[in-house]
Amino acid sequence: MKILIVNTSDLTGGAAVASFRLMEALTAKGLHPTMLVANRTGSHPAVKALPNRWRHRLNFLWERWCIFCHLHFKRQHLFEIDMANAGTDITRLPEFQQADVVHLEWINQGMLSLRGIEKILQSGKPVVWTMHDLWPLSSLCHYAEHCNGFKHACGNCNLLPGGGSSSDLSHRVMERKKRLLANHRISFVACSEWLAAVGRQSTLAHGQEVVAIPNCINTTRFCPGDKLDARRRLGLPAQQRLLLFVSQRVTDERKGMRFFVEAMRLLAAEREKENSLVPDCGVMVLGGHADEVAHQLAIPVYALGYVADEERIIDIYRAADVYVLPSLADNLPNTIMEAMACGTPCVGFRTGGIPEMIDGEGNLENGYVAQPADAADLLQGILHVLDPVHYETLAANAVEKVNRCWAMKQVAASYTSLYKRLLENKQTQTKQP
């Protein structure tokens, strides 16, 4: 069975990492996946780049320019919305023509246009579309937050100047997507049960299949290791309790840095109290723009910047005592999965798919789930996890959950079953008079 996985990048960004890992998992399962990307930064032989990379760059720039115009030439929200008005027609490529199943992943920013997706559907090949956010079943946005427009027709978009209008860009793109799906079927796969439930409420989901299959992780690479050795290689203190904050861009408001900053202020204040039991803590900040936030944190900071080397990233997870992700909206974060696989308990807000990962309400099985946007409860979770009374149990439970739920073998089996069912359905429909 030949599977074509389509994603904008092979290694840059959470969706790219998840897509690449799925390709590896399917290969280990005995399938024959190929990954088609616009931005190829790795060297894996099964990853193929689009021809004429300059053309993709033009598509990207044209779409951004069109969005910039709709935003009245203001940068706010420029990279929060996608209209997919420009992209590459991949149906002529040999990788597409040889595929039995086409598996779309994150295909924005000039990779595929809505017209290109329509041509893929018109080919008659079974199509699976993994949703790393809501965009495939919304209009422009990747995270709807408190907006319910995607459930009906969109319009009056709060990401457009002045709140848009009833017939604004969001409404027009939604209508375009409705027409695209009117006579075609896609098997949408959400990475979390939360996103699947939200996606099923979309007006675009009528008549479509929406299921949940999680991302996977290679547990032979991401696994527990010696904490002191990891810290020695990274040049970090041996005795200090280290918290970890990770984001591709740590200044991204959606990742909740402001609540982490407040929690660290509260932690420092607690530590200064007489007879305080709060341990000596430091913070590792991993991601772009880490230096910009270091001065805001009230405890020692180790700004690690952006790291691409996987072995170094694994060392960072192993070096941490607790991983903190106060996201205000998230799907099924790879970073939580990676930290747990390395034996590092996690603390996060009860938003999106995070409560499906961290079992930490009440019995604190492998971490702590705090109330959304509550810095005090976030700190409470951090201190609970750092308590030596149950720390080792939390760490062991985190590893056990990763092996049980997100190992490559289990996830590959779920996707293989889906592919086979779609191909069997296609064969049945072909035989019908």
Side-chain angles (χ1 to χ4, degrees), residues 51-276:
N52 302 321
R53 187 173 181 179
W54 59 269
R55 185 172 296 171
H56 166 257
R57 185 63 179 170
L58 288 177
N59 290 334
F60 167 78
L61 292 173
W62 174 246
E63 184 189 32
R64 286 311 106 187
W65 172 253
C66 293
I67 292 173
F68 193 42
C69 293
H70 282 286
L71 294 176
H72 296 177
F73 306 102
K74 296 180 181 179
R75 292 184 58 86
Q76 187 180 17
H77 307 311
L78 181 58
F79 289 95
E80 294 177 43
I81 60 179
D82 283 285
M83 56 190 294
N85 64 326
T88 299
D89 177 8
I90 67 171
T91 60
R92 299 180 182 181
L93 301 179
E95 292 84 3
F96 179 88
Q97 294 171 357
Q98 295 164 11
D100 298 307
V101 177
V102 179
H103 187 149
L104 307 181
E105 298 264 358
W106 200 89
I107 47 75
N108 297 112
Q109 297 191 355
M111 177 69 190
L112 296 182
S113 65
L114 293 180
R115 173 57 182 152
I117 295 171
E118 186 173 32
K119 293 190 72 172
I120 291 171
L121 295 172
Q122 289 172 343
S123 74
K125 293 180 184 286
V127 176
V128 173
W129 195 344
T130 294
M131 299 169 55
H132 295 279
D133 51 46
L134 187 59
W135 189 87
L137 288 175
S138 73
S139 174
L140 302 174
C141 66
H142 293 267
Y143 290 91
E145 298 185 1
H146 303 297
C147 176
N148 292 316
F150 71 97
K151 298 179 182 180
H152 308 291
C154 278
N156 301 303
C157 181
N158 56 21
L159 296 177
L160 297 175
S165 67
S166 59
S167 59
D168 61 17
L169 180 65
S170 70
H171 177 79
R172 296 196 298 274
V173 172
M174 179 63 89
E175 292 302 306
R176 175 74 176 85
K177 286 185 175 182
K178 283 183 181 179
R179 292 193 297 272
L180 186 153
L181 293 174
N183 299 309
H184 300 288
R185 295 293 174 265
I186 295 177
S187 290
F188 291 97
V189 178
C191 299
S192 66
E193 295 287 353
W194 163 77
L195 185 58
V198 174
R200 292 185 191 110
Q201 298 177 53
S202 171
T203 183
L204 298 176
H206 295 165
Q208 307 293 334
E209 176 182 41
V210 183
V211 299
I213 301 176
N215 296 330
C216 65
I217 189 169
N218 188 329
T219 53
T220 62
R221 291 204 292 262
F222 286 84
C223 58
D226 189 281
K227 189 179 296 292
L228 292 180
D229 282 349
R231 292 188 178 191
R232 193 177 302 114
R233 286 189 289 270
L234 295 167
L236 296 169
Q239 301 304 318
Q240 203 171 40
R241 307 306 296 274
L242 294 180
L243 319 180
L244 174 63
F245 182 97
V246 178
S247 177
Q248 186 175 359
R249 181 170 57 87
V250 300
T251 53
D252 184 349
E253 291 185 9
R254 184 171 56 85
K255 294 297 182 180
M257 172 57 81
R258 65 189 178 99
F259 298 102
F260 186 66
V261 168
E262 176 61 14
M264 294 304 94
R265 186 190 68 78
L266 295 174
L267 184 149
E270 286 293 321
R271 183 166 169 73
E272 290 176 0
K273 291 181 179 178
E274 188 175 354
N275 300 321
S276 173

Side-chain angles (χ1 to χ4, degrees), residues 21 216-230 233 310-320 334-345 395-396 398-403 406-408:
R21 288 174 180 168
C216 65
I217 189 169
N218 188 329
T219 53
T220 62
R221 291 204 292 262
F222 286 84
C223 58
D226 189 281
K227 189 179 296 292
L228 292 180
D229 282 349
R233 286 189 289 270
E310 186 173 82
E311 290 303 317
R312 185 172 174 84
I313 291 172
I314 291 171
D315 267 346
I316 291 169
Y317 283 121
R318 290 173 176 170
N334 290 327
T335 53
I336 289 181
M337 193 180 298
E338 292 164 354
M340 291 175 65
C342 292
T344 301
V399 175
E400 186 278 331
K401 178 159 188 179
V402 173
N403 289 328
W406 307 314
M408 296 173 75

